[in-house]
């Protein structure tokens, strides 16, 4: 019997965890698989091995693991495979397959643009966009964010789209904000390239406020969130793995 185990990131902020759980619960109705469970990489229960156990206890003999991650980095390349390796040892009669993170996808780039438009601020001809990624030590994340930035620029005609990161490799968020404050930018939209509400998104807002940037020219947008476009990307990844 086949099962799907959705694996979210996890957050200390209850609101963010609730958003992820609600999103996945509503998504399950689109998937014709009897056994569907949710687990998290960290900070929220159940963890991956507990999620696997729930699937096995319901009779699963093949478990498709679907990461709810925007980009491929350490979590997808190392952390999830390490947990699955343990699961294989515990349940040798069960086979596992692992899906891809969301990756670079037109629907997510459209969602970024929606977050800008919903601010109901006229977009100037020389408007710029700053995407804020979670960050990783994996240089592939920097490369992928650069590609996302370029596609957003080309698709919607922004003068410039840049990316920075809260930690890890690539341009740092703090340094980018300092540079933003010192330059005469007429209009810049800041979009957290994050799926859920969490302490990171709260920290972004506090940091921007602390610099006392002109709110009429520096506009902080909402994070991506879980909309229909995001759900469709997830459903694509589910279909790939099953």
């Amino acid at each position: 019997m086949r099962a799907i185990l959705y694996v979210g990131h996890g957050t200390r902020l209850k609101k963010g965890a609730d958003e992820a759980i609600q999103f996945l619960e509503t998504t399950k109705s689109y998937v014709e698989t009897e056994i569907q469970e949710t687990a998290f990489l960290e900070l929220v229960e159940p963890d991956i091995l507990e999620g696997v156990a729930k699937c096995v206890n319901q009779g699963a003999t093949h478990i498709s693991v679907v990461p709810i991650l925007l980009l491929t980095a350490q979590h997808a390349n190392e952390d999830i495979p390490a947990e699955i390796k343990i699961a294989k040892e515990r349940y040798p009669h069960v086979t596992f397959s692992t899906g891809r993170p969301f990756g670079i996808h037109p629907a997510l780039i459209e969602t970024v643009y929606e977050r800008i438009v919903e601010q109901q601020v006229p977009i100037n001809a020389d408007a710029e966009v700053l995407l804020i990624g979670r960050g990783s030590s994996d240089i592939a994340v920097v490369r992928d964010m650069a590609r996302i930035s370029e596609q957003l620029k080309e698709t919607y005609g922004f003068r410039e789209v840049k990316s920075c990161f809260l930690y890890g490799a690539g341009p740092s968020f703090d340094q980018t904000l300092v540079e933003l404050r010192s330059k005469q930018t007429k209009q810049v939209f800041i979009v957290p390239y994050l799926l859920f509400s969490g302490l990171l998104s709260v920290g972004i807002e506090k940091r921007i406020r602390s610099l006392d940037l002109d709110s009429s020219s520096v506009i902080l947008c909402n994070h991506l969130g879980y909309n229909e476009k995001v759900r469709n990307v997830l459903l694509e990844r589910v279909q790939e793995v099953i």
Side-chain angles (χ1 to χ4, degrees), residues 34-101:
E34 185 175 346
I35 304 173
Q36 299 183 68
E37 294 292 341
T38 299
F40 293 90
L41 281 158
E42 57 187 10
L43 303 173
V44 181
E45 296 180 342
D47 62 26
I48 293 176
L49 292 176
E50 291 169 336
V52 168
K54 287 185 175 183
C55 294
V56 173
N57 290 340
Q58 295 174 69
T61 54
H62 182 94
I63 300 175
S64 297
V65 179
V66 181
I68 316 301
L69 301 171
L70 286 171
L71 298 173
T72 301
Q74 180 177 338
H75 285 318
N77 291 332
E78 300 178 18
D79 298 338
I80 292 177
E83 295 297 294
I84 299 306
K85 181 179 178 181
I86 296 172
K88 288 179 178 179
E89 295 170 352
R90 290 187 183 179
Y91 310 104
H93 67 289
V94 178
T95 58
F96 293 84
S97 57
T98 305
R100 295 190 294 149

Side-chain angles (χ1 to χ4, degrees), residues 59-159:
T61 54
H62 182 94
I63 300 175
S64 297
V65 179
V66 181
I68 316 301
L69 301 171
L70 286 171
L71 298 173
T72 301
Q74 180 177 338
H75 285 318
N77 291 332
E78 300 178 18
D79 298 338
I80 292 177
E83 295 297 294
I84 299 306
K85 181 179 178 181
I86 296 172
K88 288 179 178 179
E89 295 170 352
R90 290 187 183 179
Y91 310 104
H93 67 289
V94 178
T95 58
F96 293 84
S97 57
T98 305
R100 295 190 294 149
F102 292 177
I104 302 169
H105 198 289
L108 300 180
I109 293 170
E110 290 175 18
T111 299
V112 172
Y113 187 66
E114 286 181 1
R115 294 296 165 264
I116 293 170
V117 171
E118 71 186 8
Q119 296 301 308
Q120 298 185 338
V121 175
I123 301 173
N124 297 341
D126 59 352
E128 298 182 6
V129 178
L130 176 63
L131 301 179
I132 306 173
R134 175 183 295 274
S136 170
S137 59
D138 192 334
I139 197 67
V141 170
V142 179
R143 178 199 64 208
D144 288 349
M145 283 292 287
R147 289 174 60 191
I148 290 167
S149 299
E150 186 61 28
Q151 289 187 24
L152 181 68
K153 176 183 176 180
E154 291 179 355
T155 302
Y156 296 103
F158 290 104
R159 184 181 74 173

Side-chain angles (χ1 to χ4, degrees), residues 137-195:
S137 59
D138 192 334
I139 197 67
V141 170
V142 179
R143 178 199 64 208
D144 288 349
M145 283 292 287
R147 289 174 60 191
I148 290 167
S149 299
E150 186 61 28
Q151 289 187 24
L152 181 68
K153 176 183 176 180
E154 291 179 355
T155 302
Y156 296 103
F158 290 104
R159 184 181 74 173
E160 189 65 66
V161 179
K162 297 180 179 179
S163 56
C164 63
F165 302 90
L166 295 168
Y167 62 86
S172 76
F173 170 56
D174 284 337
Q175 183 59 37
T176 302
L177 278 189
V178 170
E179 294 171 359
L180 184 64
R181 187 179 186 183
S182 64
K183 64 185 288 191
Q184 297 298 316
T185 302
K186 294 183 178 180
Q187 187 182 56
V188 59
F189 293 91
I190 300 178
V191 185
Y193 201 75
L194 306 170
L195 276 176

